């Protein structure tokens, strides 16, 4: 038995449009602060918390629509619904099928071939009244009709609390001393388990005798006797109630039940011989230990339940464990060192793999999130326009039909999980964009992280899948691609690629492919990569047009060439006297090394220099590329330096060094014009004026 869906309507930040959250064995709720993650966990707590006070609804649990003043609202309805599935019914019913008898009368079947499921629904109504909290009425029902049908009164059956107690939610909030909170949770579970053991009478008497003996030895000490006598004497002068007249000092309780409360786990390293308590551990290790202890207790509960169901003689405990325990843990990474995050995730996964447990966690830690499969993530986003929370799963390409795309996108989002928390995402080609774009933005508008912008490289691949992912998550984004003019697949090929991806993204042909003569035909689009690259004006018009779709291009080649062209002198000044590209020139029978920066200052150029330009043009434009005819003379000469800096050296290190030598004023005043337009687009997105 496992929780598979959580449905919320008019609960806290969840509005009148029902939100359905799919739940896995382990599920992580992610999103920015105040996006509704805590509310979702609290909803589960309202149904299944072991603490009765946490199941009580308050006025603040009912959604307040935007622009409605609380004092003017007369009533509000809300519901919380959970769906449980029974994987054990899909195969042979074995030893783990003990959940079925509890709920068999209320299982729902969509059709004869589908696996039954269980619907549990809390319905509540708030009405304005003389009470400051208003009048709140609530009931929890089993719903016996399929999800696809409207619910009638005949489909509702009141769910007894005794039944619901078979499902346990252990909720650990984010605002906590994590080790203390977890200790309380695990301690309660441990006490329930220990206290239910069928202690034999002989053991009880033996323990009682040993504890009494210990107390007697304790009281034999003269110093202790002085204290005990003083306590007894002074108390008699304060109170003479016969029920409390004999105040005795004890070293310990004399019954096994009281002793159980004081049981604890200790560590005894063999090297030092010193005994350590859990409190001696660091905050992070204590949190890990208590999570591990919960894991251990769940394993013990499963064994006890197995004994009960199989009718084993000599059952060790009277305890009736919950059928399912849901661990709802907020920000488990609190106080945990980064290198322990992996172990933490491993522990939580171990819990989730048990047939009697599931794990739901919330997190802002990219270190934790990237260790979870994207399919396990649920993205929460608070829509400020209507003040409601929307929840989405992570959209990946079809695993079977598009295996390569699936693998690429999956690894990309795991490598850059910060995109989930971004106000705006800039999709770039690679490492250079990651270095240059944050610097450009910071010079103009301050720290990019404080602005909530993430730069995510995609290598120019599968861009439509990134668009779909970000669109479904409602995260604004723009894209910067290399034009790669005269490279194979570049220029018109890049324009064609973007148009095709936008069409896959369901943009309309009549808008996207409109030209002076009408709508561009499928045949012309298919052959666009063969169009004349020398028609720069036409090519630029398409580049300008695609910026309306928030797709920008580094022109004429890529971002590296664009930066070199704008800040040529600064890149060259990074070099020492004997650094930089050079030629070996034969003069009067002697071969001399001549640096390109020396040759560039001459009025006439030698043949070796011209040959070198052509070689580096070919290296830059690569195999099957053009001859550089669409580039200016200055741009063709610059390809020598492009090869030297970016094809023969490391791009990141080159850009980092160059940017460190450029002032913010120079960076802003000289920046490529495409950056200016990108900044404007991002600023508008941050202001909420663009989708």
């Amino acid at each position: 038995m496992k929780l598979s869906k959580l449905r919320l309507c008019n609960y806290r930040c969840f509005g009148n449009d029902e939100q359905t959250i799919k739940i896995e064995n382990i599920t992580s709720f992610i999103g920015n602060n105040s996006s509704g993650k805590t509310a979702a966990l609290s909803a589960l707590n309202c149904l299944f918390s072991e603490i009765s006070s946490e199941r009580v609804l308050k006025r603040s649990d009912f959604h307040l629509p935007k622009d409605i003043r609380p004092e003017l609202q007369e009533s509000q309805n809300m519901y919380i619904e959970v769906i449980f599935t029974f994987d054990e019914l899909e195969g042979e019913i074995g030893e783990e099928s003990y959940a079925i008898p509890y709920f068999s009368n209320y299982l729902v079947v969509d059709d004869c071939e589908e696996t039954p499921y269980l619907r549990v629904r809390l319905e509540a109504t708030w009405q304005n009244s003389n009470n400051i909290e208003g009048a709140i009425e609530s009931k929890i029902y089993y719903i016996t009709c399929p999800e696809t049908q409207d619910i009638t009164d005949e489909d509702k059956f009141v769910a007894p609390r005794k039944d619901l107690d078979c499902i346990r939610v252990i909720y650990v909030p984010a605002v906590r001393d994590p080790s203390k909170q977890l200790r309380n949770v695990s301690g309660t579970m441990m006490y329930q388990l220990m206290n239910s053991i069928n202690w034999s009478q002989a053991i009880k008497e033996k323990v009682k005798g040993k504890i009494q003996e210990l107390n007697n030895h304790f009281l034999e000490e003269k110093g202790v006797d002085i204290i005990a006598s003083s306590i007894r004497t002074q108390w008699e002068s304060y109170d003479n109630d016969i029920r409390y007249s004999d105040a005795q000092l004890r070293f310990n309780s004399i019954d096994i039940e009281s002793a159980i409360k004081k049981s604890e786990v200790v560590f005894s390293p063999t090297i030092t011989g010193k005994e350590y308590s859990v409190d001696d551990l660091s905050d992070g290790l204590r949190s890990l230990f208590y999570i591990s202890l919960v894991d251990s207790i769940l394993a013990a509960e499963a064994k006890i339940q197995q004994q009960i169901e199989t009718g084993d003689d000599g059952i060790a405990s009277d305890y009736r464990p919950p059928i399912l325990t849901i661990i709802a843990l907020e920000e488990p990474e609190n106080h945990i060192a980064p290198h322990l995050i992996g172990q933490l995730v491993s522990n939580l996964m171990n819990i989730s793999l048990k047939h009697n447990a599931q794990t739901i966690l919330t997190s802002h830690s990219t270190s934790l999130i990237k260790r979870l499969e994207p399919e396990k993530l649920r993205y929460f986003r608070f829509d400020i326009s209507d003040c409601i929370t929307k929840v989405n799963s992570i959209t990946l390409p079809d695993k079977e039909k598009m295996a390569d795309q699936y693998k690429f996108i999956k690894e990309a989002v795991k490598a850059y999980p910060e995109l989930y928390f971004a106000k705006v995402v800039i999709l770039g080609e690679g490492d250079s964009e990651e270095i240059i774009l944050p610097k450009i933005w910071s010079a103009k508008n301050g720290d990019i992280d404080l602005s909530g912008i993430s730069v995510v490289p995609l290598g120019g691949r599968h861009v439509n899948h990134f668009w779909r992912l970000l669109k479904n998550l409602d995260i604004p984004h723009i894209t910067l691609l290399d034009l790669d003019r005269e490279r194979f697949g570049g220029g018109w090929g890049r324009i064609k690629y973007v148009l095709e991806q936008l069409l896959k993204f369901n943009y309309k042909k009549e808008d996207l492919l409109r030209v002076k003569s009408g709508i561009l035909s499928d045949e012309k689009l298919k052959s666009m990569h063969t169009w004349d690259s020398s028609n720069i004006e036409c090519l630029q018009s398409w580049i300008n047009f695609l910026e309306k779709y928030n797709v920008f291009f580094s022109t004429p080649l890529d971002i590296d060439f664009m930066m070199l062209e704008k800040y040529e002198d600064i890149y060259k000044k990074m070099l020492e006297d004997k650094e930089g590209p050079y030629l070996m020139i034969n003069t009067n029978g002697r071969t001399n090394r001549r640096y390109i920066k020396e040759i560039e200052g001459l009025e006439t150029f030698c043949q070796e220099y011209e040959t070198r330009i052509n070689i580096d043009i070919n290296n830059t434009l690569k195999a099957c590329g053009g001859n550089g005819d669409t580039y200016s003379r200055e741009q063709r000469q610059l390809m020598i330096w492009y090869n030297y800096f970016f094809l023969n050296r490391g791009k990141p290190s080159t850009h980092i060094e160059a940017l460190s030598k450029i002032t913010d004023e120079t960076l802003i005043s000289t920046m490529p014009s495409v950056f200016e337009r990108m900044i404007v687009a991002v600023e508008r997105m941050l202001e909420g004026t663009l989708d």
Side-chain angles (χ1 to χ4, degrees):
M1 177 181 179
K2 291 295 177 73
L3 174 66
S4 63
K5 294 177 186 176
L6 169 64
R7 290 198 176 102
L8 302 167
C9 181
N10 283 328
Y11 179 75
R12 296 192 183 180
C13 55
F14 296 90
N16 192 54
D17 292 333
E18 177 188 273
Q19 289 291 304
T20 299
I21 307 170
K22 295 182 179 179
I23 307 296
E24 310 280 346
N25 280 352
I26 184 169
T27 308
S28 180
F29 295 168
I30 63 173
N32 289 309
N33 292 325
S34 301
S35 59
K37 304 184 296 295
T38 295
L41 296 184
S42 298
L44 285 174
N45 226 25
C46 287
L47 283 165
F48 304 114
S49 175
E50 290 188 309
I51 304 171
S52 59
S53 60
E54 294 182 354
R55 301 196 301 264
V56 177
L57 292 172
K58 304 179 293 295
R59 169 67 183 97
S60 57
D61 291 325
F62 291 80
H63 178 67
L64 182 66
K66 186 181 181 181
D67 300 328
I68 294 182
R69 293 165 54 187
E71 64 271 19
L72 299 180
Q73 193 175 29
E74 290 298 320
S75 65
Q76 180 68 287
N77 298 319
M78 75 95 127
Y79 64 83
I80 303 167
E81 182 174 327
V82 288
I83 308 293
F84 295 95
T85 55
F86 300 84
D87 293 341
E88 57 264 44
L89 291 178
E90 295 180 0
E92 295 183 5
I93 300 178
E95 61 185 14
E96 299 178 358
S97 65
Y98 49 82
I100 303 297
Y102 283 92
F103 308 109
S104 58
N105 293 333
Y106 307 103
L107 298 183
V108 181
V109 181
D110 288 342
D111 58 56
C112 59
E113 296 183 357
E114 297 291 330
T115 303
Y117 55 90
L118 178 71
R119 298 180 67 182
V120 180
R121 185 181 178 107
L122 183 156
E123 294 185 350
T125 300
W126 171 88
Q127 289 184 315
N128 197 6
S129 73
N130 292 330
N131 190 314
I132 191 170
E133 279 285 299
I136 298 175
E137 296 183 0
S138 66
K139 283 188 178 180
I140 301 177
Y141 301 98
Y142 293 120
I143 306 298
T144 57
C145 68
E147 297 178 80
T148 54
Q149 295 182 12
D150 293 334
I151 301 172
T152 66
D153 289 341
E154 287 74 25
D155 301 317
K156 297 179 181 179
F157 296 86
V158 174
R161 175 49 53 186
K162 182 180 179 181
D163 288 2
L164 299 176
D165 285 344
C166 294
I167 301 164
R168 171 175 63 192
V169 169
I170 297 175
Y171 173 48
V172 182
V175 181
R176 69 187 193 273
D177 176 340
S179 61
K180 182 179 180 181
Q181 189 77 36
L182 288 163
R183 177 177 64 199
N184 293 338
V185 168
S186 58
T188 300
M189 295 173 69
M190 178 66 80
Y191 175 74
Q192 291 174 337
L193 204 57
M194 294 280 287
N195 195 48
S196 66
I197 294 174
N198 291 326
W199 302 97
S200 67
Q201 191 61 35
I203 290 295
K204 287 183 178 180
E205 293 297 328
K206 188 175 182 179
V207 171
K208 183 177 180 179
K210 292 293 184 182
I211 295 176
Q212 185 61 63
E213 183 181 344
L214 182 61
N215 279 318
N216 292 337
H217 288 308
F218 175 68
L219 294 170
E220 288 174 358
E221 184 65 36
K222 290 182 178 180
V224 175
D225 184 60
I226 292 172
I227 297 171
S229 299
S230 179
I231 291 172
R232 184 168 54 252
T233 302
Q234 294 302 317
W235 174 244
E236 289 174 353
S237 69
Y238 278 83
D239 186 82
N240 58 6
D241 192 324
I242 191 171
R243 295 174 296 173
Y244 315 116
S245 60
D246 189 14
Q248 298 182 16
L249 181 63
R250 284 180 179 171
F251 178 72
N252 210 331
S253 302
I254 62 173
D255 59 80
I256 195 168
E257 288 78 12
S258 299
I260 288 171
K261 293 180 180 179
K262 300 181 180 181
S263 62
E264 63 176 338
V265 177
V266 296
F267 307 93
S268 302
T270 56
I271 297 177
T272 63
K274 179 183 176 181
E275 191 173 82
Y276 292 90
S277 70
V278 178
D279 288 337
D280 292 324
L281 302 176
S282 66
D283 285 344
L285 283 177
R286 281 204 299 272
S287 293
L288 283 175
F289 171 74
Y290 289 125
I291 292 173
S292 169
L293 188 57
V294 170
D295 190 358
S296 302
I297 294 169
L298 289 169
E301 289 181 344
K303 291 180 180 179
I304 292 171
Q305 186 65 52
Q306 184 179 357
Q307 285 186 330
I308 295 171
E309 297 302 319
T310 56
D312 286 358
D313 295 332
I315 295 177
S317 174
D318 291 329
Y319 183 52
R320 295 296 183 267
I323 294 172
L324 176 65
T325 296
I326 301 170
I327 311 295
L329 186 57
E330 288 200 88
E331 301 178 28
E333 68 273 8
N334 283 359
H335 298 271
I336 300 239
H339 69 279
L340 290 178
I341 293 289
Q343 186 60 53
L344 168 68
V345 174
S346 179
N347 279 16
L348 294 173
M349 285 182 174
N350 286 337
I351 292 174
S352 70
L353 292 174
K354 301 181 185 299
H355 70 268
N356 63 335
Q358 284 177 272
T359 303
I360 303 175
L361 56 97
T362 73
S363 180
H364 297 108
S365 169
T366 55
S367 296
L368 187 149
I369 294 170
K370 70 182 182 181
R371 287 175 165 85
L372 295 171
E373 298 300 312
E375 294 91 338
K376 308 296 184 183
L377 305 179
R378 302 293 178 265
Y379 179 75
F380 286 63
R381 188 175 185 89
F382 185 75
D383 190 338
I384 196 67
S385 65
D386 52 11
C387 293
I388 61 172
T389 290
K390 298 177 181 178
V391 185
N392 287 288
S393 299
I394 307 304
T395 307
L396 297 178
D398 188 277
K399 187 176 181 179
E400 301 298 327
K401 297 179 180 179
M402 294 179 283
D404 290 342
Q405 296 95 319
Y406 168 83
K407 183 178 180 181
F408 180 85
I409 302 297
K410 177 181 175 179
E411 293 305 315
V413 296
K414 289 178 72 173
Y416 297 92
E418 59 268 18
L419 69 84
Y420 299 122
F421 306 100
K423 294 179 181 178
V424 176
V425 171
I426 301 176
L427 297 171
E429 291 271 2
D431 294 340
S432 296
E433 283 80 359
E434 280 194 276
I435 294 167
I436 296 167
L437 295 179
K439 181 66 175 179
I440 293 285
W441 176 271
S442 297
K444 181 78 164 51
N445 292 317
D447 189 271
I448 193 169
D449 291 326
L450 294 179
S451 300
I453 300 169
S454 290
V455 179
V456 178
L458 52 82
R461 300 173 61 192
H462 314 308
V463 66
N464 69 300
H465 296 297
F466 278 99
W467 291 341
R468 184 168 289 105
L469 168 68
L470 295 170
K471 181 68 174 178
N472 289 346
L473 299 181
D474 201 25
I475 300 176
H477 54 279
I478 67 172
T479 306
L480 178 65
L481 300 173
D482 298 338
L483 183 63
D484 288 335
R485 199 173 75 213
E486 290 196 49
R487 281 177 172 169
F488 179 77
W492 285 114
R494 297 294 275 172
I495 302 296
K496 171 188 173 182
Y497 169 77
V498 172
L499 291 171
E500 290 176 336
Q501 302 309 306
L502 290 171
L503 289 171
K504 290 180 181 179
F505 201 55
N506 298 323
Y507 281 103
K508 297 179 180 179
K509 277 188 178 182
E510 52 266 33
D511 297 328
L512 193 61
L513 302 181
R514 184 170 295 280
V515 292
K516 291 181 179 179
S517 59
I519 306 299
L520 198 68
S521 67
D522 292 344
E523 291 75 17
K524 288 186 177 180
L525 177 62
K526 188 176 181 181
S527 64
M528 180 179 277
H529 63 285
T530 66
W531 291 9
D532 185 6
S533 295
S534 65
N535 192 347
I536 304 297
E537 184 178 352
C538 184
L539 182 63
Q540 187 62 48
S541 68
W542 279 95
I543 292 172
N544 297 339
F545 170 74
L546 289 172
E547 290 186 1
K548 298 177 182 179
Y549 293 85
N550 292 318
V551 180
F552 298 81
F553 286 94
S554 295
T555 61
L557 190 65
D558 56 23
I559 194 171
D560 307 308
F561 191 88
M562 197 163 58
M563 290 292 292
L564 182 60
E565 194 173 15
K566 285 292 184 178
Y567 307 99
E568 180 181 350
D569 290 342
I570 294 173
Y571 278 88
K572 290 180 178 179
K573 286 179 181 178
M574 295 190 307
L575 303 176
E576 301 291 337
D577 288 341
K578 300 300 182 182
E579 288 185 316
Y582 60 87
L583 297 174
M584 301 304 293
I585 299 177
N586 191 312
T587 305
N588 299 323
R590 295 184 62 182
T591 301
N592 298 308
R593 176 181 292 186
R594 297 290 303 276
Y595 286 90
I596 298 296
K597 56 188 173 184
E598 299 172 349
I599 298 174
E600 289 175 334
L602 302 175
E603 293 184 2
T604 59
F605 303 114
C606 59
Q607 184 58 46
E608 288 90 346
Y609 179 62
E610 298 294 340
T611 301
R612 175 64 181 268
I613 292 175
N614 291 327
I615 291 172
D616 282 329
I617 288 173
N618 291 331
N619 291 335
T620 298
L621 302 180
K622 302 178 180 180
C624 302
N627 57 14
D629 286 346
T630 67
Y631 292 81
S632 68
R633 169 68 180 182
E634 291 77 15
Q635 290 173 329
R636 292 196 294 271
Q637 288 178 275
L638 202 59
M639 289 182 186
I640 296 176
W641 292 96
Y642 176 87
N643 275 264
Y644 178 81
F645 282 121
F646 305 121
L647 300 186
N648 298 325
R649 292 165 45 130
K651 291 183 180 182
S653 59
T654 300
H655 287 306
I656 290 171
E657 185 178 355
L659 289 168
S660 69
K661 301 180 182 300
I662 306 175
T663 65
D664 287 351
E665 292 76 14
T666 301
L667 198 59
I668 294 170
S669 63
T670 315
M671 77 168 88
S673 60
V674 66
F675 290 165
E676 297 178 17
R677 297 190 297 276
M678 287 174 61
I679 288 174
V680 171
V682 172
E683 288 173 339
R684 290 176 179 173
M685 289 179 178
L686 292 174
E687 294 168 0
T689 59
L690 285 180
D691 295 330

